[in-house]
Amino acid sequence: MSESEHAANQAAKYWWAKMRILLGILVVWFTVSFGCGIIFRDWMDVNMPKVGNAPFGFWMAQQGSIICFVLLLVVYNFMMNRLDEKYDFDEKGEDA
Amino acid sequence: MSQGFWNGFFIVLSFAVYIVIAIRSRAGSTKEYYTAGSGVSPFANGMATAADWMSAATFISMAGGIAVAGYDASRFLMGWTGGFVLLTTLMVPYLRKFGKSTVPDFLGDRFYSKAARLVGVICAIFICMTYIMGQMRGVGVVFSNLFELSIPAGVIIGAGIVFFYAGLGGMKGITYTQVAQYCVMAFAYTIPAIFAALTLTGNVVPQLGLIGNAVEGGTPILEKINNINTELGFSEYTQGSLSKMNMFFITAALMIGTAGLPHVIVRFFTVKNVKSVRQSACWTLAFIAVIYLTAPAVGVFARINLIEKLHNTEYANAPAWFSKFETTGQMTFEDKNGDGKIQYFGPGADQPNELTYGTDIMVMASPYMANLSPWIIGLLMAGCIAAALSTAAGLLLVISTSISHDLMKKIINPDLTDKQEVTYARLASLGALVVAVYFGINPPSAFVAKTVAFAFGLAASSFFPTLLMGIFSKRMNKWGAICGMVAGIAFTLIYIVYFQFLGGTPEQYLYGITPEGIGFIGMIINFVVAFLVCLVTPKPPVEIQAMVENIHIPRGAGAASDH
């Protein structure tokens, strides 16, 4: 395999690995906000354990989803940095 | 010490800090004016972006909106934070790698046409102008409360200050002022909330107070507010009254709009590489969450206090702050049944409601209602102004760079020197401010957050889909992108203008969707039109396809911006 083919191959693999991470992040993102906070909110208010004294769906909409968003970005940072390093696309030496 | 002393103390102190920072970091070159020389640390940029992002609408109106709407207001909470997940995963790392200084810059290069750039400039100006009106209004509200001025005078003073440091300092000046402004905002927002939580719930942490019990009677605080609401003829606080579909559409429009707002995107051009962009976005959301997680608690506490202090109180014995807000016209009382008492009722009650107030006033009135000391109120005022100024400055920068860089330099006259370009940028920001002041004095919609919500609809229907296709699709060409953007923003704009200015009634809503949520439909229209047009027009040139591949590889972003 020539060098340019190898590079193209690496880039394609990196692309799909990245897409998997993005998809995972976006599925969780949709579930905690639109899912818990809006679509299934009334069901969750009734059927899920309360958070303190707040109904679950209501709490997810006003507090839980925001906490999840922050955690999602922390995970995203961690996974993307690891992926970049694995494929040697990271920015070592460019920090200066 | 008097209230006037503390107000003056915090405002003057914070302004002194901003001005010192602005003068020390004045921009010399276009590079510094547009992107602060791409040398800002992720942490500092995170703080600056948070301040840029949290507008007067967030700071002043959101908790009030939550107090009035209860669960329904969750659309703002989720919409304005969830968008950062989209922004971070789908937008900014790639745009930073591309390495130019404005959003129309990317559109112009990626879609290899001046027309795409021009459409980008027009969309950017539209979005930012809509948004900045809400900010100027916010500044006006705060100043009028502070110095008992009229709102127009307050708007003009605020505009003068923004011009001073945004117009002159550019991105470099703005960034470091915003870091200071975030600190002021965070303290100003959380400290009154902590005191209110202590008095009402005995809990130091407002978020725990929200899910805890009331000091008086020991009932859960949310149950207490539900009872109050039902008794007075409002819908239950934790239930809300907006339809599920509208909740979904408005939340989606706000999230997608967030990811397409040019003044937020350009903030990430100020850090040095792709890794820093991701890190910085994470900091941004964390800093924003500090305030967004507090807002629901502030809303509940403010509502309980307001009703307990005013409902069924003799007008003659009303608290002193009530007459203060009456003078500025932000609270009104009309004794409909002639018994001399203030009565507050919702639409479901059989008695007439006698008390009206603007939701904008809730945050500013809440420390008075909770009997907090004057220094806390002074701090809050400084925070309100910081919120409005930081966002207005960020928006102004996008408007001025769109005009100076994208319109003047790239489209009209490529021979402009660096110095001339910066001069045009300053002139453009002055022009934009004049328009913003006019609309700040005569706002198209009374509720600040509502005006702002429209900017999101416009961003959701134009930039987000086009940028996304530009980044993730090699096949998308200039025809598709231009037609999509025009179709998306035209549809959204017509829908909003029709219902906001031309007297459209709610019965005429398309499938019952409110103008705030229409941006989501606008986005779908943009995608569909772009896709269809793209199918029947030729592929983009090979070098553009190579460019799309290149922006997905993080390595080399530092070098790309140094040209």
Side-chain angles (χ1 to χ4, degrees):
Chain A
M1 199 164 22
S2 77
E3 201 156 300
S4 66
E5 271 174 41
H6 177 72
N9 199 12
Q10 283 293 93
K13 273 195 199 158
Y14 173 81
W15 165 275
W16 289 114
K18 181 173 75 184
M19 285 304 173
R20 268 202 301 278
I21 295 177
L22 294 191
L23 188 70
I25 299 269
L26 292 180
V27 166
V28 180
W29 164 80
F30 187 87
T31 313
V32 295
S33 53
F34 292 100
C36 301
I38 298 177
I39 303 172
F40 301 112
R41 194 257 315 174
D42 8 20
W43 184 86
M44 291 192 157
D45 276 354
V46 181
N47 294 307
M48 298 283 280
K50 285 194 161 192
V51 183
N53 288 320
F56 188 83
F58 174 81
W59 185 82
M60 277 308 283
Q62 300 216 330
Q63 304 264 292
S65 57
I66 301 174
I67 298 170
C68 292
F69 295 152
V70 177
L71 295 178
L72 270 178
L73 287 195
V74 173
V75 171
Y76 168 77
N77 260 282
F78 176 77
M79 291 177 85
M80 286 307 287
N81 287 344
R82 210 178 51 175
L83 188 74
D84 287 353
E85 231 166 86
K86 185 177 160 194
Y87 284 88
D88 198 26
F89 287 156
D90 58 342
E91 296 155 307
K92 264 181 294 201
E94 290 175 19
D95 286 356
Chain B
M1 307 252 189
S2 75
Q3 184 61 54
F5 166 79
W6 285 113
N7 286 349
F9 175 78
F10 281 108
I11 306 278
V12 170
L13 187 72
S14 57
F15 275 21
V17 173
Y18 307 152
I19 288 170
V20 168
I21 295 173
I23 291 173
R24 288 185 60 125
S25 48
R26 219 173 46 236
S29 64
T30 48
K31 185 84 192 137
E32 284 184 342
Y33 196 93
Y34 296 154
T35 62
S38 297
V40 182
S41 84
F43 181 80
N45 185 53
M47 247 186 211
T49 313
D52 196 322
W53 172 239
M54 285 183 292
S55 56
T58 305
F59 201 90
I60 305 171
S61 309
M62 193 173 62
I66 298 172
V68 172
Y71 166 78
D72 285 346
S74 312
R75 63 189 193 274
F76 296 119
L77 290 163
M78 288 189 284
W80 287 337
T81 51
F84 275 86
V85 177
L86 292 176
L87 184 79
T88 315
T89 53
L90 303 176
M91 294 273 150
V92 283
Y94 317 107
L95 294 176
R96 174 66 190 87
K97 172 65 199 294
F98 175 70
K100 290 288 172 66
S101 35
T102 68
V103 174
D105 236 356
F106 175 80
L107 294 173
D109 285 12
R110 164 65 183 84
F111 297 113
Y112 48 97
S113 83
K114 282 187 177 174
R117 189 188 291 270
L118 187 65
V119 175
V121 170
I122 294 168
C123 292
I125 292 176
F126 245 104
I127 293 165
C128 294
M129 281 313 299
T130 321
Y131 207 135
I132 207 169
M133 289 172 208
Q135 308 311 313
M136 294 327 294
R137 183 79 190 166
V139 176
V141 170
V142 182
F143 275 113
S144 76
N145 266 302
L146 210 58
F147 306 117
E148 315 213 332
L149 292 167
S150 62
I151 288 186
V155 172
I156 292 168
I157 296 177
I161 296 165
V162 174
F163 178 72
F164 177 74
Y165 75 89
L168 300 181
M171 188 57 117
K172 204 175 166 202
I174 289 177
T175 303
Y176 294 105
T177 340
Q178 280 169 339
V179 172
Q181 281 162 337
Y182 175 78
C183 300
V184 174
M185 286 163 70
F187 281 112
Y189 208 78
T190 47
I191 290 176
I194 289 171
F195 281 105
L198 263 176
T199 10
L200 267 178
T201 67
N203 208 319
V204 190
V205 185
Q207 289 82 354
L208 295 179
L210 177 69
I211 56 171
N213 296 326
V215 170
E216 266 173 76
T219 45
I221 206 94
L222 286 170
E223 201 182 306
K224 184 172 174 169
I225 199 163
N226 273 343
N227 292 340
I228 293 178
N229 265 13
T230 334
E231 208 177 291
L232 300 184
F234 294 94
S235 58
E236 239 179 74
Y237 190 82
T238 53
Q239 291 301 323
S241 55
L242 211 62
S243 75
K244 220 168 229 188
M245 192 187 65
N246 264 321
M247 275 298 283
F248 187 98
F249 277 70
I250 298 174
T251 310
L254 293 178
M255 283 192 184
I256 295 160
T258 302
L261 279 180
H263 74 287
V264 181
I265 293 174
V266 294
R267 286 236 46 100
F268 292 94
F269 295 164
T270 63
V271 296
K272 66 175 179 273
N273 57 26
V274 175
K275 191 178 169 184
S276 312
V277 168
R278 295 183 195 130
Q279 213 180 331
S280 187
C282 192
W283 279 120
T284 304
L285 189 58
F287 288 130
I288 291 171
V290 169
I291 288 179
Y292 273 69
L293 289 174
T294 315
V298 174
V300 169
F301 302 154
R303 186 169 179 85
I304 292 180
N305 274 328
L306 178 85
I307 292 173
E308 285 190 341
K309 296 273 153 66
L310 291 184
H311 182 60
N312 270 338
T313 306
E314 298 271 353
Y315 180 65
N317 300 334
W321 49 263
F322 184 69
S323 61
K324 175 181 153 58
F325 290 117
E326 258 192 318
T327 351
T328 52
Q330 285 153 319
M331 285 187 181
T332 56
F333 164 63
E334 189 192 341
D335 197 0
K336 286 178 188 153
N337 56 9
D339 64 353
K341 285 180 178 173
I342 303 169
Q343 269 124 357
Y344 181 50
F345 285 109
D350 42 17
Q351 283 153 289
N353 173 38
E354 303 177 340
L355 173 70
T356 51
Y357 58 91
T359 42
D360 294 357
I361 204 62
M362 286 296 251
V363 163
M364 268 178 295
S366 70
Y368 291 102
M369 294 190 285
N371 282 330
L372 301 181
S373 21
W375 71 268
I376 296 181
I377 298 170
L379 180 63
L380 190 71
M381 294 292 172
C384 289
I385 295 180
L389 292 184
S390 58
T391 307
L395 291 164
L396 203 57
L397 189 80
V398 171
I399 299 176
S400 63
T401 54
S402 296
I403 292 175
S404 68
H405 180 74
D406 294 300
L407 194 67
M408 295 308 295
K409 167 112 179 164
K410 295 285 176 137
I411 298 178
I412 296 176
N413 180 8
D415 301 328
L416 279 187
T417 66
D418 226 36
K419 216 172 164 189
Q420 284 170 315
E421 212 182 311
V422 175
T423 311
Y424 273 115
R426 288 179 177 145
L427 284 177
S429 57
L430 187 64
L433 263 180
V434 172
V435 181
V437 164
Y438 174 79
F439 283 106
I441 295 171
N442 310 296
S445 158
F447 178 26
V448 176
K450 217 173 189 174
T451 325
V452 166
F454 295 140
F456 287 82
L458 299 181
S461 60
S462 60
F463 283 140
F464 178 81
T466 308
L467 289 174
L468 193 71
M469 291 181 291
I471 294 168
F472 284 91
S473 161
K474 276 196 274 183
R475 177 67 182 86
M476 186 46 65
N477 59 17
K478 67 174 172 187
W479 305 112
I482 295 169
C483 296
M485 260 196 295
V486 170
I489 203 165
F491 169 78
T492 313
L493 197 64
I494 290 170
Y495 196 87
I496 291 173
V497 168
Y498 178 72
F499 287 106
Q500 196 68 9
F501 298 100
L502 305 178
T505 57
E507 289 79 48
Q508 297 168 299
Y509 285 168
L510 187 68
Y511 302 111
I513 301 165
T514 65
E516 289 166 284
I518 202 66
F520 186 67
I521 306 288
M523 176 197 78
I524 295 172
I525 291 179
N526 185 335
F527 273 127
V528 171
V529 169
F531 178 74
L532 292 179
V533 171
C534 173
L535 279 183
V536 295
T537 43
K539 276 188 184 174
V542 188
E543 65 270 18
I544 297 293
Q545 299 188 30
M547 184 193 108
V548 176
E549 280 176 14
N550 181 43
I551 58 173
H552 285 272
I553 308 293
R555 177 165 288 180
S561 61
D562 290 339
H563 56 93

